[in-house]
Structures are given as structure tokens and as C-alpha cells.
Amino acid sequence: MNVPNAGERTAPAVPDVRSSADWVNRFADEVIAEAARRSPGKPVVVASGLSPSGPIHLGNLREVMVPHLVADEIRRRGVPCEHILSFDDYDRLRRVPAGVDPSWAQHIGKPLTSVPAPPGSAHPNWAEHFKAPIAAALARLGVEFRGISQTQMYTSGAYVNEVLLAMRERARIDAVLAQYRTKPLPAGVASGIDAAAGTDAGPEAAEGSGAAAEDDGAASAGYFPYRPYCSACERDLTTVTGYDDESTKLNYTCACGHAETIRLAEHRRGKLVWKVDWPMRWAYEGVIFEPSGADHQAPGSSFVVGGRLVSEIFGGWQPIGPGYAFVGISGMAKMSSSRGAVPTPADALDIMEEPVLRWLYARRRPQQSFTIAFDAELQRLYDEWDAVARKVADGTASSLDASSYDRATRTSASGLPRTTRPLPYRMLASVADITTGDSDQILRILSDLDPDCPLVSLDEVRPRLDRARCWAMTQLPAGERTRLLSEPDRRALAGLSPAQRSSLDLLLAGVDQDWSLEGLSRLVYAVPKLQAGLSADAPPTPELKSAQRAFFALVYRLLIGKETGPRLPTLLLAAGQDRIRALLAG
Ligand SMILES: [Zn+2]
């Protein structure tokens, strides 16, 4: 950063402690300053890139969320900012994803926009089929962006000057690339990336936008950074065999047997190789900020080489580009994904609210890896989210918690959907589980929670209820489902000790006195105290806690045939008074 008056550096406008703790603020400061230096008076440009070569993995959402959060902070400060999202839909189809007809292999090597969409798709081609769901998910998440189709850019001739420049400068480009080709990756770098990519998400997730490993244009006939798609077979199995700078005539041969001479100044069916393409676009779009995955950041990687090419060839700047760490997925039930084993942002939004998903990205620095849980860990995440919300509401949240909560719940343009009465997610999931998702029963149970302020309509607890219900229906393993016994367990009832019998009688005597979540919570903890001859509000002791555990296990066994289950007051409310009497009475 160029600061004209060194004295200003000692009095920054933003306190250091704040900017260092809040990564979004820190990058926004840096990006605004850099944009003012590079292109004063123009809107700030931040960028993401996604390859619609298959379903876009939930882990790849970080590619969009990091620039989104920075762009949104810049806009909140009143500085115009554009978030461009490049769809690398002019890349070649590299492989046929699992679950797709193997006959699609005939399309390998064609641009993704020239490959037919999977059978049954409503979309015109492969790329559009996989772009549509991510675009819809981003809209739900409040991500404002300008989508750029690289197919549209290349085939319209938008980059023709840049392509001719790169071909003219091919010897210099080759010389830069050569410096990195001869440098093997330090031991551990490549394997570290592989290890990260080899977890749940597989290599698809690590690949990201463009392929770090794609060949860079070197061939025996000389170095050419442009690769035509064959006009006969549409594939990129082509080799450039000669080029004349003066006439821009280019000769190529294709593995299919086709050979042709074209005039590059007019040619529209081809593209720069990835390592040249990316820096060309930084210069073309004036990108100030673009993060990338760890695989793009290693020595000799696209980002490092691109930094040389963008200034030495294209006269632009390398963006501020932090590497972001891997986002893992845990506990996703296979059955819930109809698109194969790859969880997408839409899958996450089926089971969690938009602000919660935004929060996961906002609260972690890009360098921190984290895991998105589809299992019961999600309930703990929601507990944490609700605790932060309460602290924000009563003014006791830390400034860091408050700012990440704020970034999660609204953008500079609008608020995200909120649940009017955010009942605990774990309770909603339990009620949905016990009722097998039946809306009438759910409403009855939730109306009993708080008789002073009864629920009138399920809309008050939406959209959270819908996400919790979907979670219970799709992610909860069959063995963990809760089913009330249809008939009393007479054998167990006959074998009760007198003390056990009297504990159940105390419970039954109490249920109709305060039929509410609060009343039942008090009651279930009070029963063992009353049995011990203590008052209902006696302080807990180790003996009492042990008696409470035994009492709860007894009730669970008699109601659902298991030792544990949803929180007992919730279970009692869900069961209803008649059912409780039927299953617990002697
Ligand atoms: Zn061909």
C-alpha cells in the first residue's frame, strides 16, 4: 500500500484490534485501499470462479462466500463494489461423474456448454444444468453477483485482443512458465493437498475452478497458449502446429484426424490455457480481490505463475488473493442426495436456515478449515447460534460475535429470511420425528409448549420448522427415530418395584396440573425429590441426579422402548396426556 503521508500510518481510522480480529473488515480495508491505488474512482471488483463440470460441492461455496462477505462489507461502507462470478463453462469435460451414463465419455474434451445435459434435464446443456442449482442457492443466500459465462466471452470474441497478445508474447510466457516447470513442489505440499481433498468430498471438491494440473500449452511443435476446439469433433484433442503473427493464421491437427488452418483474429472456438487464462481475466476485469483454494496457492501454482503473467504480459495486477482452507462435510445420510454422494449448498439449505449457513463462513477466517455437519452436531450448532442471537439481543455479545451474526442475518441490500419464534432446533426436530412430520400434530404439540403465549400457526416457527422436519425425515438414522409404543409394556409394568411404581404415579398426578414445557420440566426433575421426601425445589445432589437419571430411563423404556430419547418434557408433550396414562398407568 502506498501511503503518501507516513504520519497517517500511526493513526489508522479503524482500531487495530478490531481489524485484526474481524477478517472481513481487515480484507475490506485492504481491498478498498488497493482499489483506490489501482483504479481510483471505479467500482471495486471482487471475483469468484466456479466450474460447472458436475454438481457444485458445498465445500466450493467458500469460493463464493469469502468474496461475497468482503464485497458486502465494502458496500455497507458506501463504496460501490461488484462481485463477478465466472462460470468456467468453456472448460473441457474432463470426466463423466459417478451416476451418469458411461456413454457420456464420448463428450470428454468438449466445452461444458457443448455437452448435452444429463437425461431428463430441463436445461440446454451440461454446464447450464449444473449452474442453475448453484445460482438458485446463491440467490437464497443473498449473494449478489454478476455471472459471467466464459463460453459467452470467448465465443463472442470479447478476449480476441488478449488472445492475440498472448500468442504474440508466447515466448515470454513460455519462459516464465519454464521457471516453474523445472521447480518440483517441495516435499509435503502436494501430498498435504491430496490428504485434504481425499476426505469426505473427494478430488472433485479440491479441483475448484480451472484445473491446477492442466497442461500449460507446451508441446513438441513449440509453445502455444491457445488451444482450439476441433471444428470437426468439437473436442480439444488438438495440437497447434504453427502460427504466423502477421496474418494470425494458425494450423492445428486433431486426434480425430482433422487438420485445419484458421485465422485467429476471427476464430471464436478455442481458449487460452488455464494458467494464462486466469491472469488474462484479472487484467480484463480489473479484479482486486479473488481468493482461491489451497491447490491454487502452492509454489508454481496458477496463482503464483499468474501473478507474474498478469503484470509482465497483460499489464495488470495480481488480486489480493488469500488461500482458503478446506470445508469438510460430516454425517450426511447417503439417501438424501439424489445427485450422488456430493452434498450441494441446496442440500445444506434443506436442513438449515440461510443465516446459519452464512454464519459458518462469516465466523471463520478463510485460512481456518471447518466442517459442516449433517448429523446431530447440527443441533449443537443451532444451540450455539441461538445463544449468540440472545447475546446480540441483550447487548452482551462480543464485537466479533455481533459482527459475524450481523453479516449472517442481512446483507447491505436486504435481510435474510428469519423465523419469528425461533424454538430450539433440537425440539422441533424431536417433535417432527415423533409425529413423523404430521403438521396437525406438530401444531398441537407446539401450541402446548407455552400456554400463556400459544402458537397460533406453524408459520410463526417457519422456516426453521421446515428445515428441522427435513433433517429429522432425511438425516436421522432409522435406529435413532423415536416411536411411541402403541401398547403398554405390561411385562415391564408388572415387574416394577414399589418405588418405581410410586415415581410413575407422582408423574401421572402432576401432568395435568401444568401441561406446558416449563411445567413438565419442573415436574420430571421434582419427582425423584418428592420421592426422597424433599421439596420440589430442593437443590440437586449427586444422589438426586442419579435417581433422576434412573427415573428418566424408566419413563423412556415405557414410552418408547429405549433408554434414551428426545428431552423428556418434549417427549411427554408430544405423547399427549391420554397416551402417557395408557403407557404408564399400572
Ligand atoms: Zn477433432
Side-chain angles (χ1 to χ4, degrees), residues 23-25 28 64-74 76 83 358-364 404 407-408 410:
W23 68 269
V24 180
N25 268 331
V64 181
M65 291 309 293
V66 169
H68 163 70
L69 291 162
V70 172
D72 192 59
E73 172 59 29
I74 292 171
R76 287 178 188 217
H83 182 181
R358 287 175 61 91
W359 186 56
L360 289 174
Y361 290 90
R363 69 184 182 145
R364 297 270 183 253
S404 55
R407 297 190 203 292
R410 70 178 178 99

PDB file of all heavy atoms in Angstrom, residues 23-25 28 64-74 76 83 358-364 404 407-408 410:
ATOM      1  N   TRP A  23     -11.873 -10.776  10.167  1.00  0.00           N
ATOM      2  CA  TRP A  23     -11.186 -10.931   8.871  1.00  0.00           C
ATOM      3  C   TRP A  23     -11.906 -10.195   7.760  1.00  0.00           C
ATOM      4  O   TRP A  23     -11.260  -9.708   6.826  1.00  0.00           O
ATOM      5  CB  TRP A  23     -11.011 -12.403   8.528  1.00  0.00           C
ATOM      6  CG  TRP A  23     -12.284 -13.164   8.216  1.00  0.00           C
ATOM      7  CD1 TRP A  23     -13.068 -13.857   9.083  1.00  0.00           C
ATOM      8  CD2 TRP A  23     -12.905 -13.290   6.930  1.00  0.00           C
ATOM      9  NE1 TRP A  23     -14.133 -14.406   8.432  1.00  0.00           N
ATOM     10  CE2 TRP A  23     -14.058 -14.085   7.101  1.00  0.00           C
ATOM     11  CE3 TRP A  23     -12.592 -12.813   5.653  1.00  0.00           C
ATOM     12  CZ2 TRP A  23     -14.910 -14.401   6.049  1.00  0.00           C
ATOM     13  CZ3 TRP A  23     -13.442 -13.125   4.608  1.00  0.00           C
ATOM     14  CH2 TRP A  23     -14.590 -13.917   4.798  1.00  0.00           C
ATOM     15  N   VAL A  24     -13.229 -10.062   7.835  1.00  0.00           N
ATOM     16  CA  VAL A  24     -13.961  -9.391   6.762  1.00  0.00           C
ATOM     17  C   VAL A  24     -13.596  -7.911   6.727  1.00  0.00           C
ATOM     18  O   VAL A  24     -13.302  -7.346   5.666  1.00  0.00           O
ATOM     19  CB  VAL A  24     -15.483  -9.579   6.929  1.00  0.00           C
ATOM     20  CG1 VAL A  24     -16.224  -8.882   5.801  1.00  0.00           C
ATOM     21  CG2 VAL A  24     -15.853 -11.062   6.971  1.00  0.00           C
ATOM     22  N   ASN A  25     -13.578  -7.293   7.913  1.00  0.00           N
ATOM     23  CA  ASN A  25     -13.182  -5.883   7.981  1.00  0.00           C
ATOM     24  C   ASN A  25     -11.759  -5.676   7.489  1.00  0.00           C
ATOM     25  O   ASN A  25     -11.463  -4.707   6.791  1.00  0.00           O
ATOM     26  CB  ASN A  25     -13.262  -5.387   9.433  1.00  0.00           C
ATOM     27  CG  ASN A  25     -14.624  -4.784   9.738  1.00  0.00           C
ATOM     28  OD1 ASN A  25     -15.282  -4.258   8.851  1.00  0.00           O
ATOM     29  ND2 ASN A  25     -15.042  -4.868  10.983  1.00  0.00           N
ATOM     30  N   ALA A  28     -11.662  -5.898   3.784  1.00  0.00           N
ATOM     31  CA  ALA A  28     -12.357  -4.746   3.191  1.00  0.00           C
ATOM     32  C   ALA A  28     -11.455  -3.511   3.239  1.00  0.00           C
ATOM     33  O   ALA A  28     -11.348  -2.777   2.248  1.00  0.00           O
ATOM     34  CB  ALA A  28     -13.672  -4.498   3.918  1.00  0.00           C
ATOM     35  N   VAL A  64     -17.207 -18.618  -3.171  1.00  0.00           N
ATOM     36  CA  VAL A  64     -18.135 -17.508  -3.393  1.00  0.00           C
ATOM     37  C   VAL A  64     -18.352 -16.710  -2.101  1.00  0.00           C
ATOM     38  O   VAL A  64     -18.436 -15.480  -2.128  1.00  0.00           O
ATOM     39  CB  VAL A  64     -19.492 -18.026  -3.919  1.00  0.00           C
ATOM     40  CG1 VAL A  64     -20.447 -16.864  -4.172  1.00  0.00           C
ATOM     41  CG2 VAL A  64     -19.302 -18.838  -5.194  1.00  0.00           C
ATOM     42  N   MET A  65     -18.438 -17.396  -0.957  1.00  0.00           N
ATOM     43  CA  MET A  65     -18.794 -16.704   0.283  1.00  0.00           C
ATOM     44  C   MET A  65     -17.696 -15.757   0.769  1.00  0.00           C
ATOM     45  O   MET A  65     -17.995 -14.704   1.325  1.00  0.00           O
ATOM     46  CB  MET A  65     -19.146 -17.714   1.389  1.00  0.00           C
ATOM     47  CG  MET A  65     -20.445 -18.475   1.157  1.00  0.00           C
ATOM     48  SD  MET A  65     -21.876 -17.436   0.784  1.00  0.00           S
ATOM     49  CE  MET A  65     -22.084 -16.569   2.362  1.00  0.00           C
ATOM     50  N   VAL A  66     -16.426 -16.118   0.575  1.00  0.00           N
ATOM     51  CA  VAL A  66     -15.349 -15.231   1.038  1.00  0.00           C
ATOM     52  C   VAL A  66     -15.412 -13.883   0.312  1.00  0.00           C
ATOM     53  O   VAL A  66     -15.508 -12.838   0.959  1.00  0.00           O
ATOM     54  CB  VAL A  66     -13.967 -15.925   0.932  1.00  0.00           C
ATOM     55  CG1 VAL A  66     -12.840 -14.925   1.152  1.00  0.00           C
ATOM     56  CG2 VAL A  66     -13.866 -17.065   1.948  1.00  0.00           C
ATOM     57  N   PRO A  67     -15.417 -13.868  -1.038  1.00  0.00           N
ATOM     58  CA  PRO A  67     -15.557 -12.572  -1.709  1.00  0.00           C
ATOM     59  C   PRO A  67     -16.908 -11.903  -1.443  1.00  0.00           C
ATOM     60  O   PRO A  67     -16.977 -10.675  -1.358  1.00  0.00           O
ATOM     61  CB  PRO A  67     -15.420 -12.896  -3.195  1.00  0.00           C
ATOM     62  CG  PRO A  67     -14.969 -14.282  -3.292  1.00  0.00           C
ATOM     63  CD  PRO A  67     -15.198 -14.970  -1.995  1.00  0.00           C
ATOM     64  N   HIS A  68     -17.963 -12.701  -1.304  1.00  0.00           N
ATOM     65  CA  HIS A  68     -19.275 -12.094  -1.036  1.00  0.00           C
ATOM     66  C   HIS A  68     -19.246 -11.282   0.254  1.00  0.00           C
ATOM     67  O   HIS A  68     -19.731 -10.148   0.292  1.00  0.00           O
ATOM     68  CB  HIS A  68     -20.370 -13.156  -0.939  1.00  0.00           C
ATOM     69  CG  HIS A  68     -21.618 -12.654  -0.282  1.00  0.00           C
ATOM     70  ND1 HIS A  68     -22.447 -11.728  -0.896  1.00  0.00           N
ATOM     71  CD2 HIS A  68     -22.146 -12.881   0.958  1.00  0.00           C
ATOM     72  CE1 HIS A  68     -23.443 -11.430  -0.064  1.00  0.00           C
ATOM     73  NE2 HIS A  68     -23.281 -12.109   1.060  1.00  0.00           N
ATOM     74  N   LEU A  69     -18.707 -11.876   1.313  1.00  0.00           N
ATOM     75  CA  LEU A  69     -18.722 -11.189   2.612  1.00  0.00           C
ATOM     76  C   LEU A  69     -17.858  -9.927   2.561  1.00  0.00           C
ATOM     77  O   LEU A  69     -18.230  -8.891   3.133  1.00  0.00           O
ATOM     78  CB  LEU A  69     -18.250 -12.142   3.714  1.00  0.00           C
ATOM     79  CG  LEU A  69     -19.247 -13.282   4.007  1.00  0.00           C
ATOM     80  CD1 LEU A  69     -18.570 -14.425   4.761  1.00  0.00           C
ATOM     81  CD2 LEU A  69     -20.451 -12.762   4.799  1.00  0.00           C
ATOM     82  N   VAL A  70     -16.735  -9.999   1.847  1.00  0.00           N
ATOM     83  CA  VAL A  70     -15.881  -8.815   1.711  1.00  0.00           C
ATOM     84  C   VAL A  70     -16.602  -7.755   0.868  1.00  0.00           C
ATOM     85  O   VAL A  70     -16.648  -6.577   1.236  1.00  0.00           O
ATOM     86  CB  VAL A  70     -14.516  -9.203   1.100  1.00  0.00           C
ATOM     87  CG1 VAL A  70     -13.697  -7.962   0.763  1.00  0.00           C
ATOM     88  CG2 VAL A  70     -13.746 -10.109   2.065  1.00  0.00           C
ATOM     89  N   ALA A  71     -17.208  -8.171  -0.250  1.00  0.00           N
ATOM     90  CA  ALA A  71     -17.940  -7.233  -1.109  1.00  0.00           C
ATOM     91  C   ALA A  71     -19.073  -6.574  -0.334  1.00  0.00           C
ATOM     92  O   ALA A  71     -19.315  -5.365  -0.453  1.00  0.00           O
ATOM     93  CB  ALA A  71     -18.496  -7.958  -2.333  1.00  0.00           C
ATOM     94  N   ASP A  72     -19.760  -7.369   0.474  1.00  0.00           N
ATOM     95  CA  ASP A  72     -20.901  -6.833   1.218  1.00  0.00           C
ATOM     96  C   ASP A  72     -20.438  -5.796   2.242  1.00  0.00           C
ATOM     97  O   ASP A  72     -21.084  -4.763   2.429  1.00  0.00           O
ATOM     98  CB  ASP A  72     -21.658  -7.976   1.902  1.00  0.00           C
ATOM     99  CG  ASP A  72     -22.991  -7.514   2.437  1.00  0.00           C
ATOM    100  OD1 ASP A  72     -23.813  -7.040   1.629  1.00  0.00           O
ATOM    101  OD2 ASP A  72     -23.185  -7.569   3.667  1.00  0.00           O
ATOM    102  N   GLU A  73     -19.302  -6.054   2.901  1.00  0.00           N
ATOM    103  CA  GLU A  73     -18.771  -5.085   3.855  1.00  0.00           C
ATOM    104  C   GLU A  73     -18.382  -3.797   3.128  1.00  0.00           C
ATOM    105  O   GLU A  73     -18.639  -2.687   3.623  1.00  0.00           O
ATOM    106  CB  GLU A  73     -17.556  -5.678   4.592  1.00  0.00           C
ATOM    107  CG  GLU A  73     -16.796  -4.705   5.481  1.00  0.00           C
ATOM    108  CD  GLU A  73     -17.642  -4.079   6.588  1.00  0.00           C
ATOM    109  OE1 GLU A  73     -18.604  -4.727   7.043  1.00  0.00           O
ATOM    110  OE2 GLU A  73     -17.348  -2.920   6.973  1.00  0.00           O
ATOM    111  N   ILE A  74     -17.796  -3.931   1.941  1.00  0.00           N
ATOM    112  CA  ILE A  74     -17.401  -2.743   1.166  1.00  0.00           C
ATOM    113  C   ILE A  74     -18.641  -1.930   0.801  1.00  0.00           C
ATOM    114  O   ILE A  74     -18.670  -0.703   0.942  1.00  0.00           O
ATOM    115  CB  ILE A  74     -16.605  -3.172  -0.095  1.00  0.00           C
ATOM    116  CG1 ILE A  74     -15.249  -3.753   0.338  1.00  0.00           C
ATOM    117  CG2 ILE A  74     -16.410  -2.006  -1.050  1.00  0.00           C
ATOM    118  CD1 ILE A  74     -14.455  -4.403  -0.790  1.00  0.00           C
ATOM    119  N   ARG A  76     -21.488  -1.939   2.408  1.00  0.00           N
ATOM    120  CA  ARG A  76     -22.036  -1.345   3.641  1.00  0.00           C
ATOM    121  C   ARG A  76     -21.344  -0.023   3.962  1.00  0.00           C
ATOM    122  O   ARG A  76     -21.920   0.841   4.613  1.00  0.00           O
ATOM    123  CB  ARG A  76     -21.848  -2.290   4.825  1.00  0.00           C
ATOM    124  CG  ARG A  76     -22.781  -3.501   4.806  1.00  0.00           C
ATOM    125  CD  ARG A  76     -22.497  -4.407   5.980  1.00  0.00           C
ATOM    126  NE  ARG A  76     -23.238  -5.664   5.871  1.00  0.00           N
ATOM    127  CZ  ARG A  76     -23.768  -6.294   6.924  1.00  0.00           C
ATOM    128  NH1 ARG A  76     -23.638  -5.801   8.144  1.00  0.00           N
ATOM    129  NH2 ARG A  76     -24.412  -7.424   6.756  1.00  0.00           N
ATOM    130  N   HIS A  83     -19.337  -7.934  -7.486  1.00  0.00           N
ATOM    131  CA  HIS A  83     -18.837  -9.306  -7.293  1.00  0.00           C
ATOM    132  C   HIS A  83     -19.105 -10.057  -8.589  1.00  0.00           C
ATOM    133  O   HIS A  83     -20.256 -10.304  -8.931  1.00  0.00           O
ATOM    134  CB  HIS A  83     -19.581  -9.946  -6.116  1.00  0.00           C
ATOM    135  CG  HIS A  83     -19.123 -11.349  -5.794  1.00  0.00           C
ATOM    136  ND1 HIS A  83     -19.682 -12.089  -4.787  1.00  0.00           N
ATOM    137  CD2 HIS A  83     -18.184 -12.141  -6.341  1.00  0.00           C
ATOM    138  CE1 HIS A  83     -19.089 -13.278  -4.727  1.00  0.00           C
ATOM    139  NE2 HIS A  83     -18.176 -13.334  -5.663  1.00  0.00           N
ATOM    140  N   ARG A 358     -24.691 -18.959   6.262  1.00  0.00           N
ATOM    141  CA  ARG A 358     -23.813 -17.784   6.086  1.00  0.00           C
ATOM    142  C   ARG A 358     -22.886 -17.618   7.281  1.00  0.00           C
ATOM    143  O   ARG A 358     -21.714 -17.266   7.139  1.00  0.00           O
ATOM    144  CB  ARG A 358     -24.664 -16.500   5.940  1.00  0.00           C
ATOM    145  CG  ARG A 358     -25.386 -16.371   4.623  1.00  0.00           C
ATOM    146  CD  ARG A 358     -26.290 -15.131   4.629  1.00  0.00           C
ATOM    147  NE  ARG A 358     -25.539 -13.891   4.813  1.00  0.00           N
ATOM    148  CZ  ARG A 358     -25.058 -13.156   3.816  1.00  0.00           C
ATOM    149  NH1 ARG A 358     -25.264 -13.512   2.560  1.00  0.00           N
ATOM    150  NH2 ARG A 358     -24.380 -12.052   4.065  1.00  0.00           N
ATOM    151  N   TRP A 359     -23.439 -17.879   8.462  1.00  0.00           N
ATOM    152  CA  TRP A 359     -22.679 -17.689   9.707  1.00  0.00           C
ATOM    153  C   TRP A 359     -21.450 -18.597   9.750  1.00  0.00           C
ATOM    154  O   TRP A 359     -20.372 -18.192  10.202  1.00  0.00           O
ATOM    155  CB  TRP A 359     -23.603 -17.975  10.885  1.00  0.00           C
ATOM    156  CG  TRP A 359     -23.070 -17.702  12.241  1.00  0.00           C
ATOM    157  CD1 TRP A 359     -22.558 -16.518  12.705  1.00  0.00           C
ATOM    158  CD2 TRP A 359     -23.040 -18.632  13.345  1.00  0.00           C
ATOM    159  NE1 TRP A 359     -22.206 -16.654  14.025  1.00  0.00           N
ATOM    160  CE2 TRP A 359     -22.491 -17.939  14.434  1.00  0.00           C
ATOM    161  CE3 TRP A 359     -23.434 -19.956  13.505  1.00  0.00           C
ATOM    162  CZ2 TRP A 359     -22.322 -18.541  15.689  1.00  0.00           C
ATOM    163  CZ3 TRP A 359     -23.269 -20.550  14.742  1.00  0.00           C
ATOM    164  CH2 TRP A 359     -22.720 -19.835  15.817  1.00  0.00           C
ATOM    165  N   LEU A 360     -21.607 -19.838   9.257  1.00  0.00           N
ATOM    166  CA  LEU A 360     -20.476 -20.772   9.259  1.00  0.00           C
ATOM    167  C   LEU A 360     -19.286 -20.166   8.522  1.00  0.00           C
ATOM    168  O   LEU A 360     -18.141 -20.328   8.932  1.00  0.00           O
ATOM    169  CB  LEU A 360     -20.878 -22.088   8.599  1.00  0.00           C
ATOM    170  CG  LEU A 360     -21.851 -22.957   9.385  1.00  0.00           C
ATOM    171  CD1 LEU A 360     -22.277 -24.165   8.557  1.00  0.00           C
ATOM    172  CD2 LEU A 360     -21.220 -23.416  10.695  1.00  0.00           C
ATOM    173  N   TYR A 361     -19.561 -19.472   7.411  1.00  0.00           N
ATOM    174  CA  TYR A 361     -18.471 -18.891   6.617  1.00  0.00           C
ATOM    175  C   TYR A 361     -18.008 -17.559   7.212  1.00  0.00           C
ATOM    176  O   TYR A 361     -16.825 -17.233   7.155  1.00  0.00           O
ATOM    177  CB  TYR A 361     -18.924 -18.688   5.169  1.00  0.00           C
ATOM    178  CG  TYR A 361     -19.098 -20.004   4.440  1.00  0.00           C
ATOM    179  CD1 TYR A 361     -20.313 -20.677   4.450  1.00  0.00           C
ATOM    180  CD2 TYR A 361     -18.020 -20.590   3.790  1.00  0.00           C
ATOM    181  CE1 TYR A 361     -20.460 -21.897   3.809  1.00  0.00           C
ATOM    182  CE2 TYR A 361     -18.158 -21.814   3.144  1.00  0.00           C
ATOM    183  CZ  TYR A 361     -19.381 -22.458   3.162  1.00  0.00           C
ATOM    184  OH  TYR A 361     -19.510 -23.676   2.533  1.00  0.00           O
ATOM    185  N   ALA A 362     -18.929 -16.798   7.780  1.00  0.00           N
ATOM    186  CA  ALA A 362     -18.579 -15.464   8.282  1.00  0.00           C
ATOM    187  C   ALA A 362     -17.696 -15.540   9.518  1.00  0.00           C
ATOM    188  O   ALA A 362     -16.802 -14.723   9.710  1.00  0.00           O
ATOM    189  CB  ALA A 362     -19.858 -14.670   8.589  1.00  0.00           C
ATOM    190  N   ARG A 363     -17.921 -16.529  10.364  1.00  0.00           N
ATOM    191  CA  ARG A 363     -17.233 -16.522  11.650  1.00  0.00           C
ATOM    192  C   ARG A 363     -15.852 -17.164  11.597  1.00  0.00           C
ATOM    193  O   ARG A 363     -15.112 -17.086  12.565  1.00  0.00           O
ATOM    194  CB  ARG A 363     -18.080 -17.191  12.717  1.00  0.00           C
ATOM    195  CG  ARG A 363     -18.235 -18.696  12.537  1.00  0.00           C
ATOM    196  CD  ARG A 363     -19.168 -19.250  13.588  1.00  0.00           C
ATOM    197  NE  ARG A 363     -19.296 -20.684  13.472  1.00  0.00           N
ATOM    198  CZ  ARG A 363     -19.434 -21.501  14.520  1.00  0.00           C
ATOM    199  NH1 ARG A 363     -19.442 -21.002  15.739  1.00  0.00           N
ATOM    200  NH2 ARG A 363     -19.566 -22.781  14.350  1.00  0.00           N
ATOM    201  N   ARG A 364     -15.524 -17.823  10.497  1.00  0.00           N
ATOM    202  CA  ARG A 364     -14.212 -18.464  10.400  1.00  0.00           C
ATOM    203  C   ARG A 364     -13.334 -17.716   9.407  1.00  0.00           C
ATOM    204  O   ARG A 364     -13.781 -17.434   8.286  1.00  0.00           O
ATOM    205  CB  ARG A 364     -14.359 -19.907   9.909  1.00  0.00           C
ATOM    206  CG  ARG A 364     -15.146 -20.779  10.844  1.00  0.00           C
ATOM    207  CD  ARG A 364     -14.272 -21.461  11.870  1.00  0.00           C
ATOM    208  NE  ARG A 364     -15.051 -22.346  12.724  1.00  0.00           N
ATOM    209  CZ  ARG A 364     -15.349 -22.084  14.001  1.00  0.00           C
ATOM    210  NH1 ARG A 364     -14.936 -20.965  14.569  1.00  0.00           N
ATOM    211  NH2 ARG A 364     -16.045 -22.942  14.712  1.00  0.00           N
ATOM    212  N   SER A 404     -20.201 -10.994  13.173  1.00  0.00           N
ATOM    213  CA  SER A 404     -20.444 -12.162  12.311  1.00  0.00           C
ATOM    214  C   SER A 404     -21.934 -12.520  12.304  1.00  0.00           C
ATOM    215  O   SER A 404     -22.464 -12.971  11.289  1.00  0.00           O
ATOM    216  CB  SER A 404     -19.571 -13.366  12.690  1.00  0.00           C
ATOM    217  OG  SER A 404     -19.735 -13.707  14.020  1.00  0.00           O
ATOM    218  N   ARG A 407     -23.474 -10.113   9.810  1.00  0.00           N
ATOM    219  CA  ARG A 407     -23.174 -10.491   8.422  1.00  0.00           C
ATOM    220  C   ARG A 407     -23.991 -11.708   7.993  1.00  0.00           C
ATOM    221  O   ARG A 407     -24.270 -11.889   6.810  1.00  0.00           O
ATOM    222  CB  ARG A 407     -21.688 -10.826   8.272  1.00  0.00           C
ATOM    223  CG  ARG A 407     -20.761  -9.676   8.539  1.00  0.00           C
ATOM    224  CD  ARG A 407     -19.330 -10.024   8.145  1.00  0.00           C
ATOM    225  NE  ARG A 407     -18.354  -9.210   8.844  1.00  0.00           N
ATOM    226  CZ  ARG A 407     -18.180  -7.920   8.680  1.00  0.00           C
ATOM    227  NH1 ARG A 407     -18.961  -7.278   7.829  1.00  0.00           N
ATOM    228  NH2 ARG A 407     -17.267  -7.256   9.355  1.00  0.00           N
ATOM    229  N   ALA A 408     -24.329 -12.549   8.984  1.00  0.00           N
ATOM    230  CA  ALA A 408     -25.099 -13.755   8.672  1.00  0.00           C
ATOM    231  C   ALA A 408     -26.562 -13.435   8.395  1.00  0.00           C
ATOM    232  O   ALA A 408     -27.188 -14.064   7.550  1.00  0.00           O
ATOM    233  CB  ALA A 408     -24.990 -14.753   9.823  1.00  0.00           C
ATOM    234  N   ARG A 410     -28.095 -10.424   7.510  1.00  0.00           N
ATOM    235  CA  ARG A 410     -28.518  -9.457   6.494  1.00  0.00           C
ATOM    236  C   ARG A 410     -27.349  -9.147   5.568  1.00  0.00           C
ATOM    237  O   ARG A 410     -26.189  -9.414   5.898  1.00  0.00           O
ATOM    238  CB  ARG A 410     -29.006  -8.155   7.149  1.00  0.00           C
ATOM    239  CG  ARG A 410     -27.887  -7.338   7.783  1.00  0.00           C
ATOM    240  CD  ARG A 410     -28.409  -6.038   8.389  1.00  0.00           C
ATOM    241  NE  ARG A 410     -27.316  -5.289   9.028  1.00  0.00           N
ATOM    242  CZ  ARG A 410     -26.684  -4.267   8.437  1.00  0.00           C
ATOM    243  NH1 ARG A 410     -27.039  -3.876   7.234  1.00  0.00           N
ATOM    244  NH2 ARG A 410     -25.680  -3.657   9.055  1.00  0.00           N
TER     245      ARG A 410
END
